[in-house]
Amino acid sequence: MATPPAPGIYVPVPTFFVSKKAATYDPIAAPVDIDTQVAHSLYLARAGIKGLVILGSTGEAIHLTNKERFEVLSGVRQAFEKEGFTDYPIIAGTATQNIEETVEQLKGAKEAGAQYGLCLVPGYFAGASTQEGVIRWFTAVADKSPIPIMIYHYPGVSNNVKVVPSTFVTLAKHPNIVGCKLSHGDVSYHAQIASSPSIDHSSFATFSGLGQQLLPVISIGAVGAIDGCAGFFPKTVVRLFELSLKNQPTDEEVQKRRLLQYKVSTMEEIIVKFGTVGIKEAVSRLRGFGDRDGTRLPLHGGIPGDDAEWAKWKEIVDAMEEEENSL
């Protein structure tokens, strides 16, 4: 059976597009900015992030052509190899609902240098969706995929299709399905999957998609998080993960990890409220990568309210920045 991604903190990175000031800028579909993509990816790898999800929801996968997908994935892979990050984990997202197209994207991802695929649960026909249909869809994709895949369960972008724990138990038995990302706040579902005695957790890893619940989900068997906040506060989220792993923490460590969880949970509210737009704004303002409103249509502009809205987050941003700089 295939091996799942190693435990740790992964980042669902945004896809960067060329600046409005560039000669190649197109207001309908700005070209991808590989240089900025590479710079941000290397920044995260050097900060202790275990691996990257490229072309997930944050990466606006549905806004890119297959040619652009290849350019982004291969550009980052080549940069990692050049800078000494040999075999650094890249998980390529897919958001298509046609099985053959999904497999084609997974084949392209392998060719570009990705080791895993993260496949979004199909949700167009939510009213007619069944657990058996979900099982058969993922089984068909996994049977044909040249790289191991993970189940991406994000009801918020899958028309509220919910995959029940028993479906994960069934799919976890497939030799080419190696884990899941659970991007929802149902901690009970996390427990029923990450702690299930019916799943071989050495071959199926459960990741939360929300750093907001990192500390509690680690205690029930999750192996890490694929977390947007770590895209601009990587060291802080990694430190929270490390403290969450301690089985016999000191009183000081208990207090520290609770405080870190509070800070991360509070900071993540900007992502809950603004999604990809909020992540891009934070990455740009705090780390200097890309434009604050560098998305593709139908996403348009940065955080509504711009400077006035960002000012509302100053207290928690400053607290997180102080934490980040201390690590």
Side-chain angles (χ1 to χ4, degrees):
M1 294 182 71
T3 303
I9 299 300
Y10 293 69
V11 171
V13 294
T15 297
F16 296 93
F17 303 106
V18 298
S19 169
K20 292 180 178 179
K21 300 176 182 178
T24 55
Y25 179 74
D26 178 349
I28 304 302
V32 291
D33 182 352
I34 303 301
D35 289 343
T36 300
Q37 197 78 47
V38 164
H40 183 238
S41 297
L42 289 171
Y43 157 74
L44 294 174
R46 290 166 178 151
I49 294 300
K50 182 63 71 174
L52 303 182
V53 170
I54 300 177
L55 305 172
S57 299
T58 301
E60 300 180 63
I62 57 172
H63 296 165
L64 271 67
T65 66
N66 285 348
K67 178 177 181 293
E68 290 171 326
R69 289 174 57 86
F70 185 85
E71 291 172 354
V72 171
L73 288 167
S74 61
V76 174
R77 170 55 69 205
Q78 291 170 24
F80 277 148
E81 297 298 320
K82 180 180 178 181
E83 295 297 320
F85 290 95
T86 305
D87 296 326
Y88 188 83
I90 292 178
I91 305 170
T94 71
T96 56
Q97 308 203 9
N98 177 293
I99 291 171
E100 292 301 325
E101 186 178 5
T102 301
V103 172
E104 284 303 309
Q105 289 192 354
L106 292 166
K107 289 178 179 177
K110 179 182 181 180
E111 185 180 352
Q115 296 98 319
Y116 299 95
L118 179 68
C119 301
L120 183 67
V121 173
Y124 187 87
F125 291 106
S129 180
T130 65
Q131 297 302 303
E132 182 62 25
V134 170
I135 289 170
R136 292 189 178 201
W137 191 92
F138 272 100
T139 299
V141 171
D143 283 347
K144 295 185 175 185
S145 175
I147 53 178
I149 67 168
M150 301 172 65
I151 302 162
Y152 183 17
H153 188 209
Y154 187 1
V157 296
S158 291
N159 211 2
N160 209 34
V161 170
K162 294 183 179 178
V163 183
V164 300
S166 60
T167 295
F168 284 92
V169 171
T170 299
L171 290 173
K173 293 180 172 64
H174 195 290
N176 208 31
I177 299 178
V178 295
C180 61
K181 176 187 178 185
L182 306 179
S183 291
H184 56 72
D186 192 333
V187 175
S188 176
Y189 264 36
H190 279 69
Q192 292 176 62
I193 297 165
S195 296
S196 173
S198 299
I199 292 176
D200 179 358
H201 299 287
S202 67
S203 61
F204 186 90
T206 300
F207 291 86
S208 177
L210 302 173
Q212 286 181 307
Q213 53 198 28
L214 180 58
L215 177 56
V217 298
I218 289 295
S219 71
I220 53 175
V223 300
I226 301 172
D227 176 60
C229 182
F232 43 94
F233 286 119
K235 295 179 183 178
T236 302
V237 180
V238 168
R239 182 56 178 153
L240 173 57
F241 171 72
E242 293 169 346
L243 289 173
S244 300
L245 292 176
K246 289 184 174 288
N247 292 322
Q248 294 181 314
T250 64
D251 290 344
E252 182 180 359
E253 288 171 334
V254 168
Q255 293 303 315
K256 180 62 176 179
R257 69 186 186 184
R258 286 178 180 172
L259 179 60
L260 279 180
Q261 183 65 81
Y262 168 78
K263 290 181 177 180
V264 170
S265 295
T266 306
M267 185 71 251
E268 294 246 1
E269 289 298 320
I270 199 170
I271 299 173
V272 173
K273 187 172 183 179
F274 298 112
T276 297
V277 171
I279 292 174
K280 281 204 164 180
E281 182 111 13
V283 169
S284 177
R285 284 183 181 267
L286 298 172
R287 303 295 165 241
F289 298 108
D291 288 345
R292 296 190 335 231
D293 59 349
T295 52
R296 272 189 175 176
L297 297 173
L299 298 181
H300 176 65
I303 291 177
D306 202 28
D307 291 344
E309 176 63 32
W310 183 257
K312 297 176 183 178
W313 301 87
K314 184 178 188 317
E315 183 177 353
I316 184 57
V317 168
D318 288 349
M320 287 287 284
E321 191 76 330
E322 181 179 5
E323 197 73 51
E324 188 79 5
N325 290 337
S326 73
L327 297 170

